[in-house]
Amino acid sequence: MKCTEVIEAVAERLQQEIVISANGYISRVLYNIRDRKRNFYMLGSMGLASSIGLGVALNSDKKVVVIDGDGNLLMNMGTLSTVGGMKPKNFLHICLDNEQYESTGGQKTNSWSIKLEKVAEAAGYLKFGKIASVDGLDEYWDAIGPVFLLIKIEPGGEKGDRVVHTPIEIRNRVIDSV
Amino acid sequence: MPTAVQFYNELEEHGFNFFTGVPCTIFKSLIGHLEVTGKYVAASREDEALGICTGAFLVGKKPVLIMQNSGLGNSINALCSLALLYEIPILLLISWRGFLGKDAPEHLYMGKSMLSFLKEMEIPTYLYEEDGALEKAVLDLNRMKKPVAVIVKNEGIK
């Protein structure tokens, strides 16, 4: 599967959800496919997508969708334990796994040897799994969280333009829309 | 020296309503009080706690991050490329281990460097023991929209 294919499928399903998208290509692809006020695009702070999402989920009734990457997730894998411990029902954690740090030139991560969905299970996520086609997304989309969904993707493909909003604009758009 | 309950009440009076962090002995009684009252989210790292505070702020909370100064080292990138970049007001309660070089060896370098790190990042910093520290920190948080540090020394809270 391609990154754009997955993010298109996620974007089609979005209604009131607050989305936290990981820095690098993930935020960029989401921005180009469906820019919306409730998208919090991370520009830096690699590793913190799930923790930002957790802070929202613990303090809001709205559903939170975190679009994470394998490099991001591995950097702060401890956050899986915090999510598992707090068990927010409104938390959907999607990890797009291309087994590399694509935006810095394609250096390998170690995710090829790790069953990340099993790590999420062990950490206390209530629903977890891996899908090979976006057709499987619905089963996870509406499940009671915390939900973890691993989707292996191919590197490469069109990324589109960089996010044009400034960090303050990104912040204010989210605040004003919730 | 306030008790943990007095310290918490002071924070609450200033509107703080979300608490997360990673423990330090200096905050044992404060975190204990927050845990008992169900108000504390135990993070696994301090930069993760900064992410959690950022999310909480986005949906209207006034967050407090409690950490040992060793955790400031873990937090530098999250401060620079998240909290400072997006102008997220977070009260950082940081213990001062290694103060005056009198502490276990692992605390000495950070004890000596902590204030310089904060100053370099242009994070307003106050010593809790000084008069009106919390009031000044709150003014800065509201005015400057960025993290502000309040430093608590050993035996700063009963």
Side-chain angles (χ1 to χ4, degrees), chain A residues 18 20 40-46 48 51-56 58-60 75-76 78-79 81-82 86 167-168 170-171 174-175 178, chain B residues 17-18 40-45 47-59 61 77-78 81-82 84-89 145:
Chain A
I18 299 167
I20 313 296
F40 185 84
Y41 303 110
M42 284 170 62
L43 301 173
S45 68
M46 182 158 170
L48 301 189
S51 52
I52 299 168
L54 178 61
V56 174
L58 293 175
N59 293 293
S60 168
M75 187 173 274
N76 265 30
T79 308
S81 73
T82 315
M86 299 306 296
I168 310 303
I170 294 169
R171 182 197 75 168
V174 175
I175 290 172
V178 295
Chain B
N17 53 10
F18 183 77
Y40 183 70
V41 176
S44 64
R45 276 174 58 104
D47 59 346
E48 176 194 305
L50 274 167
I52 295 171
C53 286
T54 298
F57 171 76
L58 291 175
V59 287
K61 290 286 176 175
N77 183 51
S81 72
L82 182 67
L84 290 166
L85 181 69
Y86 290 85
E87 298 186 4
I88 310 292
K145 294 262 182 275

Side-chain angles (χ1 to χ4, degrees), chain B residues 15-157:
Chain B
F16 295 105
N17 53 10
F18 183 77
F19 303 85
T20 182
V22 180
C24 176
T25 318
I26 290 175
F27 294 121
K28 185 179 171 188
S29 60
L30 177 64
I31 294 174
H33 176 65
L34 292 168
E35 282 180 334
V36 168
T37 50
K39 294 187 175 78
Y40 183 70
V41 176
S44 64
R45 276 174 58 104
E46 296 79 1
D47 59 346
E48 176 194 305
L50 274 167
I52 295 171
C53 286
T54 298
F57 171 76
L58 291 175
V59 287
K61 290 286 176 175
K62 279 185 81 168
V64 178
L65 198 177
I66 301 166
M67 68 164 95
Q68 186 173 85
N69 55 349
S70 57
L72 183 64
N74 283 347
S75 305
I76 301 274
N77 183 51
L79 284 167
C80 292
S81 72
L82 182 67
L84 290 166
L85 181 69
Y86 290 85
E87 298 186 4
I88 310 292
I90 301 167
L91 178 64
L92 309 172
L93 284 181
I94 306 176
S95 66
W96 197 343
R97 297 298 307 263
F99 177 64
L100 292 180
K102 293 175 193 161
D103 208 329
E106 66 272 25
H107 294 298
L108 300 186
Y109 281 106
M110 185 53 85
K112 195 177 166 192
S113 312
M114 169 181 68
L115 295 183
S116 305
F117 287 143
L118 289 164
K119 191 177 176 194
E120 281 298 316
M121 290 188 285
E122 298 174 356
I123 291 175
T125 301
Y126 300 97
L127 291 180
Y128 180 70
E129 66 195 34
E130 292 177 353
D131 281 346
L134 208 52
E135 285 73 16
K136 288 176 197 164
V138 169
L139 280 177
D140 284 351
L141 282 169
N142 294 336
R143 192 165 51 92
M144 299 162 93
K145 294 262 182 275
K146 59 155 108 172
V148 175
V150 169
I151 310 295
V152 182
K153 288 184 194 160
N154 199 16
E155 298 181 351
I157 306 171

Side-chain angles (χ1 to χ4, degrees), chain A residues 27-173:
Chain A
S27 273
R28 196 158 146 181
V29 171
L30 176 65
Y31 165 74
N32 283 283
I33 287 175
R34 189 173 168 196
D35 184 29
R36 58 200 274 284
K37 289 182 177 173
R38 289 188 180 187
N39 290 353
F40 185 84
Y41 303 110
M42 284 170 62
L43 301 173
S45 68
M46 182 158 170
L48 301 189
S50 51
S51 52
I52 299 168
L54 178 61
V56 174
L58 293 175
N59 293 293
S60 168
D61 296 334
K62 307 230 165 25
K63 184 161 127 181
V64 176
V65 179
V66 174
I67 312 178
D68 218 341
D70 51 311
N72 248 282
L73 192 146
L74 291 170
M75 187 173 274
N76 265 30
M77 207 147 68
T79 308
L80 294 177
S81 73
T82 315
V83 173
M86 299 306 296
K87 298 214 174 357
K89 290 188 169 67
N90 53 342
F91 191 85
L92 170 60
H93 192 171
I94 298 170
C95 180
L96 306 184
D97 182 4
N98 59 5
E99 302 183 357
Q100 60 177 250
Y101 300 99
E102 191 176 349
S103 58
T104 54
Q107 303 86 351
K108 282 187 187 310
T109 67
N110 289 310
S111 68
W112 62 272
S113 79
I114 303 167
K115 293 181 172 63
L116 287 170
E117 75 281 17
K118 298 284 184 190
V119 179
E121 175 188 11
Y125 280 62
L126 294 181
K127 184 166 175 71
F128 42 83
K130 182 178 171 182
I131 56 173
S133 143
V134 290
D135 297 338
L137 187 56
D138 285 328
E139 182 192 336
Y140 293 87
W141 193 266
D142 294 321
I144 293 172
V147 178
F148 182 88
L149 177 58
L150 182 70
I151 308 177
K152 291 276 182 184
I153 59 168
E154 303 156 18
E158 181 57 35
K159 308 303 181 215
D161 301 328
R162 283 175 178 273
V163 176
V164 296
H165 311 302
T166 67
I168 310 303
E169 285 166 355
I170 294 169
R171 182 197 75 168
N172 289 343
R173 280 158 41 110

